[in-house]
Amino acid sequence: MSTDRLAILGGRPEYSEPLHVGQLYAPPWDEFKDQFDGIFRRRYFTNHGPLVSQLEKDLSEFLNCQAICVTNGTLGLMVALKSLGLSGKVIVPSFTFPATVQALYWAGIEPVFCDVDYDTHAISAEHISPLITEEVTGILYVSLWGGLADTTDIERLAENHSLKLLHDACHAFAASYAKRSSAQIGDVSVFSLHATKILNGLEGGIIATSNHEVADQVRTIRNFHSSHTHAAVPLRINAKMSEAQAGMALLSLTRVRKNVENNLLQWQTFYRNLNDIPGIKIYRYDEQCSGNYQYFNFEIDDVRFGLTRDMLLQCLQSEGIAARRYFSPGVHNLSPYDVLFPQYANTLPNTDKLCLRTLQLPIGAMCTIDTADRISRLIRMAHDDAHLVKNQLAEMP
Ligand code: T4K
């Protein structure tokens, strides 16, 4: 039962077990057991087995392009970069999960950090244009928070400058913009099937493309030796998906639409409850976007809200709510990039501001509308009692 006092002010915590961000969908145990029974019976555990083949077939239909399964989203990005023949420098946002930039660096490519548009949280043609030089071979565009922004200007820009466009769609499975799927943006889109994502393969990734030549390269690069394809590739790696991952992802795929619906209900509840609180600005999906609503991202203006983002985070954590600061700090301020590329310090104002202000609340299979109501109530209480919370935090060691 909820108390009328915030835990940080001495009340009883709202949740006794931590409530996490992330979809964290678990299929019915019997269905998962059946998948494993099959794997054990066949004694075929990995190396493009029947479940991976089935998953690739189902995903190709779902995404309406060629879908190739890999071990995780990060390896998916690395393989995609190589299959597109990218080298030299690639333009990338700093406001992203470190994996986006790490994939570039592993592929021997120098990141050119680009600021994001303050409202869409994505890089825009306006921000990208001045960064295009002779050494730049591509753009690594990132879609955040389970949605998609309008990318037509960026696609035109890439085409005009003969740049490859790689889409980090790790958040964006089952999202579309103006009825165009997230798999159709750029030359290649990469999705993550991490347990926290809308499509759960425990770990996992999908490389999606409509280009047969690129698909052939991807299939060759992901397997360190023999492959059914014989594309000439610069190098190979082991990025295969296991049967266990595919078995889980197949079950999760049948539930994706339902999970999106549930997420939307939770997202709308948060929106209704929090939108009028002074100092809170909620990340809005574009009207033409149909998202998967797996992330509820909002911004705190400390002057109007009464507490900084980090103070509110402490309040929520003491209630057993494991809210997250996605993403803070920006990748350009993270090791080793801060030392390797010090020229970006203080040049990405929107990124720096978002990194200081944004917070992510739990949405997903572990949550309900009631969860969203309870968390919202605590956030409102934190705003109402901001001066008490501030004093309390000042006294804490
Ligand atoms: N590009 C972008 C834009 C990305 O956001 C990501 C990954 C990638 C590329 C790379 O994709 P992958 O290589 O991961 O496929 C989490 C996820 O691990 C990561 O996949 C995701 N983005 C990122 C946004 O979130 P962490 O470091 O925050 O994970 P962690 O372990 O702190 O988990 C998040 C919360 O979920 C915690 O509160 C614990 C809880 N949790 C987690 C797992 C795995 C559970 O309760 N159960 C679980 O099984 O990165």
Side-chain angles (χ1 to χ4, degrees):
M1 215 186 71
S2 301
T3 62
D4 288 331
R5 198 144 192 237
L6 289 169
I8 208 147
L9 298 176
R12 192 159 37 79
E14 188 79 16
Y15 294 96
S16 49
E17 295 292 325
L19 186 66
H20 295 291
V21 298
Q23 189 69 42
L24 303 174
Y25 169 68
W29 175 247
D30 283 349
E31 292 178 24
F32 189 66
K33 202 171 140 286
D34 286 349
Q35 291 289 44
F36 258 82
D37 278 345
I39 294 171
F40 277 45
R41 214 177 36 250
R42 289 187 292 275
R43 297 285 163 112
Y44 202 93
F45 300 103
T46 187
N47 290 10
H48 321 299
L51 294 179
V52 169
S53 298
Q54 184 64 48
L55 182 63
E56 290 193 342
K57 187 167 165 287
D58 292 359
L59 287 170
S60 298
E61 270 167 37
F62 191 99
L63 298 170
N64 197 20
C65 63
Q66 295 201 50
I68 301 148
C69 292
V70 288
T71 323
N72 56 53
T74 310
L75 273 161
L77 289 169
M78 287 160 63
V79 170
L81 286 162
K82 285 292 171 192
S83 65
L84 288 172
L86 287 167
S87 60
K89 296 184 178 183
V90 164
I91 295 170
V92 66
S94 165
F95 191 58
T96 183
F97 195 60
T100 312
V101 180
Q102 279 156 0
L104 275 181
Y105 210 58
W106 266 101
I109 295 168
E110 183 177 323
V112 176
F113 288 112
C114 182
D115 207 4
V116 288
D117 174 81
Y118 201 75
D119 291 323
T120 64
H121 295 192
I123 54 176
S124 65
E126 191 192 334
H127 285 102
I128 296 168
S129 276
L131 303 176
I132 298 175
T133 61
E134 282 292 303
E135 292 160 290
V136 169
T137 58
I139 300 165
L140 177 39
Y141 179 85
V142 184
S143 291
L144 292 178
W145 320 138
L148 283 183
D150 185 359
T151 50
T152 39
D153 284 353
I154 293 178
E155 287 169 273
R156 202 173 304 121
L157 189 70
E159 203 180 324
N160 290 344
H161 289 269
S162 303
L163 298 175
K164 299 284 187 205
L165 180 58
L166 172 55
H167 181 203
D168 178 340
C170 282
H171 291 197
F173 187 79
S176 62
Y177 186 90
K179 300 209 161 46
R180 198 167 157 227
S181 134
S182 46
Q184 253 108 42
I185 289 165
D187 298 285
V188 174
S189 289
V190 175
F191 299 93
S192 167
L193 273 59
H194 186 260
T196 53
K197 301 294 191 293
I198 188 73
L199 182 61
N200 181 3
L202 305 168
E203 288 270 2
I206 311 162
I207 302 178
T209 182
S210 300
N211 182 322
H212 291 271
E213 214 172 293
V214 171
D216 209 23
Q217 296 260 340
V218 168
R219 288 197 184 93
T220 309
I221 295 172
R222 81 168 155 177
N223 191 8
F224 38 48
H225 62 101
S226 72
S227 158
H228 300 303
T229 61
H230 301 284
V233 293
L235 81 170
R236 293 175 166 209
I237 198 165
N238 177 2
K240 290 168 287 160
M241 178 182 272
S242 71
E243 287 290 276
Q245 290 172 282
M248 179 73 168
L250 279 164
L251 297 176
S252 179
L253 186 59
T254 63
R255 181 73 187 191
V256 158
R257 300 280 183 216
K258 192 74 203 150
N259 281 337
V260 169
E261 276 171 33
N262 286 339
N263 289 352
L264 178 58
L265 292 175
Q266 294 171 37
W267 193 94
Q268 287 169 331
T269 305
F270 275 130
Y271 189 86
R272 260 195 319 274
N273 291 340
L274 299 177
N275 196 35
D276 68 333
I277 299 181
I280 284 190
K281 183 183 168 204
I282 296 165
Y283 173 82
R284 297 278 306 264
Y285 298 90
D286 188 288
E287 276 176 9
Q288 303 218 54
C289 162
S290 170
N292 61 40
Y293 308 101
Q294 210 262 282
Y295 295 85
F296 187 86
N297 181 287
F298 70 109
E299 206 185 304
I300 300 285
D301 170 350
D302 59 333
V303 176
R304 295 184 60 228
F305 184 76
L307 299 172
T308 63
R309 183 271 312 269
D310 290 347
M311 289 172 175
L312 177 62
L313 177 63
Q314 269 185 277
C315 267
L316 294 174
Q317 285 170 338
S318 66
E319 301 288 351
I321 299 160
R324 293 297 290 263
R325 288 180 291 201
Y326 290 137
F327 300 103
S328 183
V331 184
H332 71 294
N333 282 324
L334 275 180
S335 168
Y337 309 106
D338 55 345
V339 173
L340 289 167
F341 311 111
Q343 67 270 32
Y344 295 101
N346 304 318
T347 63
L348 310 173
N350 292 341
T351 301
D352 288 339
K353 195 167 166 191
L354 289 169
C355 288
L356 274 178
R357 290 180 165 213
T358 53
L359 200 59
Q360 205 73 52
L361 296 178
I363 273 193
M366 306 290 285
C367 304
T368 60
I369 289 174
D370 178 61
T371 321
D373 276 331
R374 286 166 70 180
I375 297 174
S376 304
R377 180 173 161 273
L378 295 165
I379 293 174
R380 192 173 285 278
M381 284 166 70
H383 166 67
D384 292 343
D385 288 342
H387 62 290
L388 295 177
V389 173
K390 239 181 181 162
N391 291 344
Q392 179 64 27
L393 287 172
E395 282 171 22
M396 281 164 72

